[in-house]
Amino acid sequence: MTTVLISACRLNSRLSTALSFPVLLSIIVIATTHGDDRINAKDVRDSINSGVRFLRDVQNDDGSFPQAAPQHRSGVTALCALALLNAGEDSKGPALAKSIQLVSDIPSEHLSTYTASLRIMVLCLADPKAHRQQIASDVKWLTEMQIQDGASTGGWGYGNEFGDSTADASNSQFAILALHEARQIGLPVPEQVWQRAKIYWDNTCDAKSGGFFYRPNIRNDPYGSMTCAGISSLIIIEENLIDPRDAVTPEGNIICCRNARKNDKVTKAIGWLAKHFSVQRNPEQDVMTKFYYLYGLERAGRISGRRFFGEFDWYRLGAAHLIKTQNKASGAWKGNGGLGEDSESIATSFALLFLSKGRRPIVVGKYQHADADEDWDMHPQGVHYLIRNTELQWNQKFNWQTIDGRKATVDDLHEAPVLFISGRDRLDLSPEQKKSLKAYLDSGGFIFAEAAQGDGCGQNVEFDRKFRELVAELFPDNRLEQLPESHPIWNSHFKLLPSNNRPLLGVQASCRTSLVYCPRNLAGLWELNQPNWMAKYPDNAKREIDFVTQLGINVLAYATGRQLNEKGDTPRVLADKKGGPTSRLIHVPKLDHGGGADDAPNAWRNMLTRFEFDMQMPVDKQKIMVRPELAELQKYPLLFMHGRMSFQFNDAQRADLKKYLDGGGFLFIDCICASQTFAESVRRELKSIYPAIELQPIGADHPCWTDQFYGYDVRQVTLHTPDVNPDGTATTRDRKTHPAFEMLTLENGRPVVIFSPYDLSCAMENAAASQCTGYNKADASKIAVNVVLFALQNAESKVSDPARK
């Protein structure tokens, strides 16, 4: 915090005189006590990179990895390869390619359930097309190894290599994971396999507590790793048992809103895990299988779409524990005791799988607005399958999660850049929920909503009326209107035409449309879009399902600009500081004009909040609009001005603005969404005010872009420029550059205007960068902090009328 202390104490006298000693003292106290011990994405990335380096260091020349026992040689190499692939290592890199080849070449006599399952997962992730034949062979092997009768029906034991035909939940979960991955690349798995597997997991659950055993015929106490295995396995099994044919008639009519498969065993198991939660040990067992348990915990949380088990944020707590316990010198993890985790290769692989898979960006948060009657989630797999299809289109892995809106804070809502709200019979939100949703939208969030209506879900549903009332309450000055064909949402990823059957309505309350609503069922059709099912549908049903899926992907592309935060880098709504008396605050009002002076209403407030938070200086963030009249202007040393349309001052206003600037004032101007129309008006008006002075480009090494004034070094930032692909879909071109600003300097050498022809405002409202030529939010916020610091250095603390001197 040294820089903040210096910046508070060493700002020039023009600013210092505007702040009293008690305020400066409070700044120092805040600066020295401010802290945040939460993990962030950099912590996780650094930890993953260290773990990857360790595995590279211990890898043998032939691509294998050290193992705990000779019989585990193939399985350990497959586990390490899987961890490296999930950590982002290139499957074509020489070292990892050797490991993958070794895994592919495992002889059949050395196969076990673990090695066959791990091999399927490795090859599906590395190159499923090249290894399809081997994957299919392993699927056949696992299918044949499933136990078909007796107490272990539906489970898997170790397999041929170990001569063990008794099933256990550990081997069985790996088989389920592998078969599911094979299904995702289009390989068939007999329905009987899933049916038998369900029998096994139903029998492995403790009906009383909800936890899962290691074996159904050994009734020891349930414990954590097996309960995690039960949660993820049952969810996967149920997904693969759904028969989509009863949702589409032979004529191609879609009939959704079938009774959702609600598995009480999964619900009870989640309750067991919440009650016994830990990241330091395998709950109700011991510490010897902690890393294996954490790998299972990641799956249970991710596949169920949960951020919390009870009150426990499983990923953040687990990641913090792993980062703390990692060997900082070697990058490895090591377990306490046997069962393989005394091998650093095994423990490190499980830790990397937890960190890398759990940190995938959250794209959508399903907003729970009702109790467990499921009205808020009538198509529980819909968002899950939409995310899966989005992954294929964007070539990136994502997560989704459920957010309980009844108790979520604004920061909790911001875990997801898009909130999906659905319902049929109700939408009864408390005043606190409405306030949180409005704050979420004002600080850059996006709502994507649907009514579960049509396609068998009913007509004239209550949710449609309630949601329209909610929008009117949240946005009293803006209407919910149908998005025209010209709206960028229709070509944000696919080039689509609006559909009268499933229209999209939106609210333009800031730089962008921040809320999109379809008064017709969407998630029910997303739920039907699986590669193994599509071939079974009539052509007209396929076309409708494809359209609705593409529509969902377009909304996500528009809402996020395909720029997503890793877990740990979630945007936080910065709390307002409680300043002293109003006279002690820094006041920076907005200049009123006729060109959309408040068209990005939250942008400047967000900029000031960022400035206050970073600089620990009290700022008045109440919206103040001042007319270009000297009596109002001279109260403030610094003004902000932005807009998007043409405007024109009259002669008296130009004269007053000149007196204001000549007398010590400073004007910071930004073009909302890089509006050329507004920029032309700015240049024309400044030329009218100062005919003999030109706006000049600000160089890359100007002190404004350095940390000279205790801000940031922003001499290199990313400038986004929207473009269109040959097929008509939207894209973005990025280039590294210095901030492309211009400055107006008086003949006495004092700067009085700083002007950005490219967008800051939409970025500060968190709009997707692809929609405007400008800077992303991270760069825009740092640029804004620097400009305000520079302006305060050059504005007079008391603006005067030079004519009165």
Side-chain angles (χ1 to χ4, degrees):
M1 301 304 295
T2 304
T3 299
V4 174
L5 291 174
I6 294 173
S7 66
C9 298
R10 289 185 59 187
L11 287 174
N12 78 9
S13 59
R14 292 173 182 149
L15 176 59
S16 298
T17 55
L19 299 174
S20 66
F21 176 76
V23 175
L24 285 174
L25 181 60
S26 69
I27 293 171
I28 294 174
V29 172
I30 292 171
T32 55
T33 58
H34 177 70
D36 191 348
D37 58 359
R38 291 183 303 221
I39 64 161
N40 56 51
K42 183 179 183 302
D43 296 332
V44 176
R45 280 195 303 270
D46 290 346
S47 181
I48 289 173
N49 290 338
S50 294
V52 167
R53 283 195 298 271
F54 166 78
L55 288 181
R56 285 174 176 169
D57 289 342
V58 301
Q59 185 180 21
N60 298 317
D61 291 340
D62 65 351
S64 64
F65 290 84
Q67 64 279 343
Q71 66 267 32
H72 296 312
R73 177 178 185 273
S74 300
V76 171
T77 296
L79 178 65
C80 293
L82 184 65
L84 289 170
L85 286 167
N86 276 281
E89 292 295 284
D90 184 3
S91 63
K92 307 300 183 185
L96 187 51
K98 284 184 179 181
S99 300
I100 294 170
Q101 189 61 52
L102 273 182
V103 171
S104 180
D105 293 341
I106 296 172
S108 57
E109 62 267 21
H110 290 167
L111 277 186
S112 68
T113 300
Y114 284 123
T115 53
S117 300
L118 285 166
R119 178 158 69 180
I120 288 173
M121 288 187 273
V122 167
L123 300 183
C124 282
L125 191 56
D127 192 341
K129 290 183 179 179
H131 297 288
R132 190 177 182 86
Q133 185 175 351
Q134 181 61 68
I135 297 169
S137 175
D138 286 343
V139 167
K140 182 175 183 294
W141 188 90
L142 283 176
T143 299
E144 293 172 350
M145 294 306 299
Q146 187 185 34
I147 297 171
Q148 301 189 21
D149 52 38
S152 294
T153 296
W156 281 265
Y158 281 91
N160 289 344
E161 187 179 5
F162 297 91
D164 184 359
S165 61
T166 304
D168 62 75
S170 183
N171 275 291
S172 297
Q173 72 161 328
F174 271 79
I176 292 295
L177 292 169
L179 294 175
H180 185 59
E181 291 300 318
R183 278 294 304 269
Q184 298 314 301
I185 66 167
L187 287 173
V189 176
E191 184 176 347
Q192 298 91 329
V193 172
W194 304 111
Q195 291 171 342
R196 286 193 292 264
K198 188 174 188 309
I199 293 171
Y200 177 82
W201 287 101
D202 284 346
N203 289 337
T204 311
C205 180
D206 179 19
K208 183 178 180 180
S209 70
F212 280 78
F213 305 112
Y214 177 65
R215 282 179 173 157
N217 55 339
I218 301 178
R219 295 288 170 172
N220 54 342
D221 290 334
Y223 53 92
S225 56
M226 295 301 95
T227 301
C228 291
I231 292 170
S232 55
S233 295
L234 279 175
I235 292 173
I236 289 171
I237 289 165
E238 298 243 329
E239 174 182 329
N240 285 282
L241 275 177
I242 293 174
D243 186 350
R245 288 170 291 188
D246 63 353
V248 181
T249 68
E251 296 76 27
N253 297 318
I254 295 167
I255 306 172
C256 60
C257 288
R258 299 160 295 158
N259 291 328
R261 293 174 180 248
K262 181 182 177 183
N263 194 307
D264 291 334
K265 288 184 173 61
V266 170
T267 302
K268 288 190 70 173
I270 288 171
W272 186 97
L273 198 56
K275 181 179 179 180
H276 300 274
F277 186 87
S278 174
V279 293
Q280 287 83 23
R281 61 193 295 272
N282 188 350
E284 302 306 299
Q285 196 193 43
D286 50 45
V287 297
M288 291 194 297
T289 52
K290 176 182 72 174
F291 294 97
Y292 172 76
Y293 155 70
L294 287 174
Y295 175 41
L297 179 65
E298 173 273 321
R299 282 196 309 282
R302 182 172 52 83
I303 292 175
S304 66
R306 288 182 172 268
R307 175 184 171 189
F308 296 97
F309 287 110
E311 298 180 355
F312 301 102
D313 189 332
W314 62 266
Y315 183 76
R316 283 177 172 80
L317 290 171
H321 175 70
L322 287 173
I323 292 169
K324 181 180 178 180
T325 58
Q326 186 177 23
N327 186 316
K328 299 301 185 287
S330 68
W333 286 269
K334 186 175 183 178
N336 298 322
L339 298 178
E341 294 195 1
D342 53 348
S343 164
E344 290 181 318
S345 298
I346 292 175
T348 299
S349 294
F350 284 140
L352 286 176
L353 286 166
F354 177 95
L355 290 173
S356 59
K357 297 179 78 173
R359 72 164 176 169
R360 293 172 182 171
I362 300 291
V363 182
V364 175
K366 290 165 62 173
Y367 187 83
Q368 181 176 355
H369 57 81
D371 293 327
D373 60 7
E374 307 298 339
D375 184 73
W376 63 278
D377 194 24
M378 298 193 66
H379 304 104
Q381 297 294 331
V383 165
H384 182 49
Y385 294 165
L386 174 65
I387 296 303
R388 192 175 290 169
N389 281 287
T390 304
E391 288 178 333
L392 295 174
Q393 290 296 320
W394 296 1
N395 193 29
Q396 186 179 355
K397 291 291 186 180
F398 302 123
N399 286 332
W400 62 277
Q401 66 183 22
T402 296
I403 297 175
D404 191 339
R406 298 165 299 176
K407 55 186 179 183
T409 66
V410 181
D411 279 347
D412 291 333
L413 298 181
H414 269 295
E415 285 288 321
V418 178
L419 279 183
F420 182 70
I421 305 179
S422 179
R424 181 180 65 184
D425 300 327
R426 67 196 64 185
L427 181 65
D428 300 315
L429 303 185
S430 68
E432 292 75 17
Q433 284 176 271
K434 295 175 183 177
K435 182 179 178 181
S436 293
L437 285 175
K438 186 63 166 67
Y440 169 76
L441 292 169
D442 287 348
S443 53
F446 187 96
I447 288 178
F448 183 14
E450 62 145 20
Q453 180 168 229
D455 305 307
C457 289
Q459 301 295 333
N460 300 316
V461 299
E462 180 72 4
F463 178 91
D464 181 59
R465 181 179 67 82
K466 288 278 193 179
F467 188 78
R468 292 173 188 267
E469 290 176 355
L470 173 66
V471 173
E473 185 175 347
L474 295 181
F475 300 101
D477 299 325
N478 304 90
R479 297 178 57 188
L480 188 65
E481 297 179 320
Q482 188 163 340
L483 303 184
E485 185 179 342
S486 60
H487 195 283
I489 211 165
W490 297 110
N491 72 337
S492 59
H493 185 79
F494 297 99
K495 187 168 178 57
L496 301 175
L497 292 174
S499 167
N500 291 328
N501 188 36
R502 299 182 199 275
L504 290 184
L505 288 69
V507 172
Q508 183 84 22
S510 57
C511 282
R512 62 167 179 172
T513 303
S514 56
L515 180 150
V516 168
Y517 171 59
C518 182
R520 181 78 185 271
N521 163 47
L522 298 175
L525 276 71
W526 297 338
E527 206 169 44
L528 300 177
N529 194 342
Q530 285 215 65
N532 298 295
W533 298 352
M534 291 294 280
K536 302 176 182 179
Y537 303 141
D539 288 344
N540 56 336
K542 289 180 189 175
R543 286 193 294 271
E544 187 71 4
I545 293 168
D546 275 337
F547 172 79
V548 170
T549 300
Q550 291 174 4
L551 184 64
I553 293 171
N554 270 30
V555 173
L556 298 185
Y558 174 82
T560 66
R562 297 178 59 169
Q563 296 179 15
L564 299 163
N565 294 294
E566 297 175 19
K567 194 172 287 187
D569 269 359
T570 303
R572 300 281 165 185
V573 177
L574 304 179
D576 289 346
K577 306 296 181 187
K578 300 300 182 182
T582 303
S583 62
R584 294 177 178 176
L585 300 178
I586 299 173
H587 302 272
V588 188
K590 295 172 72 173
L591 181 62
D592 201 2
H593 58 84
D598 199 31
D599 277 5
N602 300 306
W604 185 234
R605 177 182 174 84
N606 289 344
M607 290 185 198
L608 291 176
T609 302
R610 181 82 262 171
F611 178 85
E612 178 183 64
F613 187 83
D614 287 356
M615 294 296 105
Q616 296 294 304
M617 301 179 68
V619 178
D620 182 3
K621 295 180 292 299
Q622 297 300 312
K623 183 169 71 175
I624 305 172
M625 303 293 295
V626 297
R627 296 287 299 164
E629 299 168 357
L630 186 60
E632 289 297 313
L633 299 176
Q634 63 184 1
K635 298 176 183 177
Y636 309 101
L638 171 61
L639 300 175
F640 177 71
M641 175 182 178
H642 65 178
R644 67 165 86 237
M645 296 174 291
S646 176
F647 71 93
Q648 186 172 350
F649 295 126
N650 59 40
D651 289 343
Q653 291 171 334
R654 293 188 189 106
D656 280 355
L657 279 167
K658 186 175 188 304
K659 291 176 183 178
Y660 167 76
L661 295 173
D662 287 346
F666 197 101
L667 184 59
F668 175 14
I669 309 176
D670 168 48
C671 292
I672 297 176
C673 212
S675 167
Q676 293 187 16
T677 302
F678 180 74
E680 289 170 0
S681 295
V682 168
R683 296 181 192 282
R684 183 189 65 244
E685 291 302 316
L686 289 177
K687 190 66 176 176
S688 297
I689 295 170
Y690 291 105
I693 305 175
E694 300 285 344
L695 280 166
Q696 298 293 332
I698 303 177
D701 294 322
H702 191 278
C704 187
W705 310 136
T706 71
D707 59 2
Q708 176 174 326
F709 303 112
Y710 311 105
Y712 296 96
D713 187 333
V714 290
R715 285 174 290 184
Q716 188 173 74
V717 293
T718 301
L719 185 67
H720 299 285
T721 304
D723 204 347
V724 179
N725 292 314
D727 63 359
T729 58
T731 188
T732 303
R733 315 296 179 197
D734 293 348
R735 64 185 176 92
K736 293 291 185 181
T737 182
H738 65 277
F741 277 58
E742 299 171 28
M743 186 181 293
L744 189 72
T745 305
L746 299 181
E747 293 178 353
N748 63 10
R750 188 174 72 85
V752 293
V753 176
I754 193 165
F755 169 57
S756 174
Y758 298 128
D759 177 75
L760 295 171
S761 292
C762 287
M764 290 307 298
E765 285 205 328
N766 234 13
S770 60
Q771 298 165 41
C772 304
T773 297
Y775 311 94
N776 61 33
K777 185 174 184 179
D779 286 341
S781 63
K782 293 176 182 178
I783 291 169
V785 166
N786 277 32
V787 171
V788 172
L789 288 171
F790 178 78
L792 291 173
Q793 289 285 104
N794 288 279
E796 300 290 346
S797 59
K798 295 181 179 180
V799 179
S800 60
D801 181 353
R804 297 176 183 173
K805 289 183 178 179

